[in-house]
Amino acid sequence: MTHRSRTRRLALLSASTALVTGGLLPSATAFAAPAPVAAAAAAPTPAPPTTPPAQGAVKTTDPPSGITAELPGKAKVRMGAIPMESGSVDARVYGVETPDGATGFAVYDMPGDQIPLEDALKGFVDAYGLTGGTLTSDNVRKTTVDGRPALDASLSGEDADGAAVGSIRFISDDDHLVMALTYGPEKNEKDLKAMHQQLLGSLRIP
């Protein structure tokens, strides 16, 4: 892969992430969409839970993939069609804001190995900077989830609302790239970590 193609791919991923994840972070300015790079669509309604979720949680299903997670409330859904070098990729983000911050997951309709997980993380971090905020990732570590390659990282950022922290995981599936994210004010770090662990523990990929 040439340096130019990798740079272009990361630029597309960053801009697309900014659009698709626009409703997930709690800050009103974070991840505001830049010039349109994808077509927004009407959001599907999360499927009702088929089994009782944990107390205070709502089982949320991505209908096209069957991927589910328990979120602390009814999810807001944002959709987009992301332009990639190999063609358009549909993506959906399911997010919930709480008094502590925001949490949710995203599903990208492409083989998880189409983009190295490190590049997916870089695209996410770069997208934050498109609106003037700053975001860095650290404690980056590779792992596996049910035999699937995964990448975890801690996040720290600064925007108009002040210092923020969070956690992110990317999972590479045969048919999808999955992102799990929790993010909010630095003062709520302990509660955010607990929220993220609940998200990761409930996330199911068929």
Side-chain angles (χ1 to χ4, degrees):
M1 179 189 305
T2 66
H3 175 72
R4 178 178 295 180
S5 65
R6 182 176 186 274
T7 300
R8 180 172 180 271
R9 185 179 66 185
L10 286 172
L12 284 172
L13 180 63
S14 299
S16 302
T17 300
L19 176 68
V20 177
T21 61
L24 184 51
L25 297 188
S27 168
T29 56
F31 284 79
V37 295
T45 301
T50 54
T51 58
Q55 185 176 0
V58 176
K59 185 176 181 181
T60 305
T61 301
D62 174 55
S65 67
I67 294 170
T68 65
E70 291 181 4
L71 300 179
K74 184 176 180 179
K76 294 180 180 180
V77 190
R78 191 175 178 93
M79 301 176 64
I82 298 175
M84 301 290 286
E85 290 182 341
S86 57
S88 179
V89 172
D90 291 333
R92 297 163 299 282
V93 177
Y94 301 84
V96 174
E97 289 193 38
T98 77
D100 296 318
T103 187
F105 67 100
V107 179
Y108 298 82
D109 289 341
M110 64 181 183
D113 61 1
Q114 185 172 329
I115 294 179
L117 298 182
E118 294 84 356
D119 283 4
L121 176 60
K122 177 171 172 50
F124 181 89
V125 169
D126 289 350
Y128 195 95
L130 291 175
T131 57
T134 60
L135 186 70
T136 59
S137 62
D138 59 17
N139 194 24
V140 179
R141 54 215 182 271
K142 293 182 179 180
T143 185
T144 59
V145 176
D146 295 330
R148 299 176 177 93
L151 187 75
D152 287 326
S154 300
L155 302 172
S156 57
E158 186 82 26
D159 59 26
D161 296 328
V165 295
S167 302
I168 192 168
R169 169 175 284 181
F170 286 97
I171 304 172
S172 176
D173 181 50
D174 290 341
D175 300 313
H176 303 93
L177 176 66
V178 181
M179 178 183 74
L181 171 70
T182 305
Y183 193 76
E186 186 178 38
K187 64 182 181 180
N188 300 333
E189 184 173 8
K190 182 178 178 180
D191 291 332
L192 290 168
K193 287 182 177 180
M195 191 186 305
H196 193 65
Q197 288 305 309
Q198 179 179 340
L199 171 63
L200 297 184
S202 68
L203 185 62
R204 298 289 181 269
I205 304 174

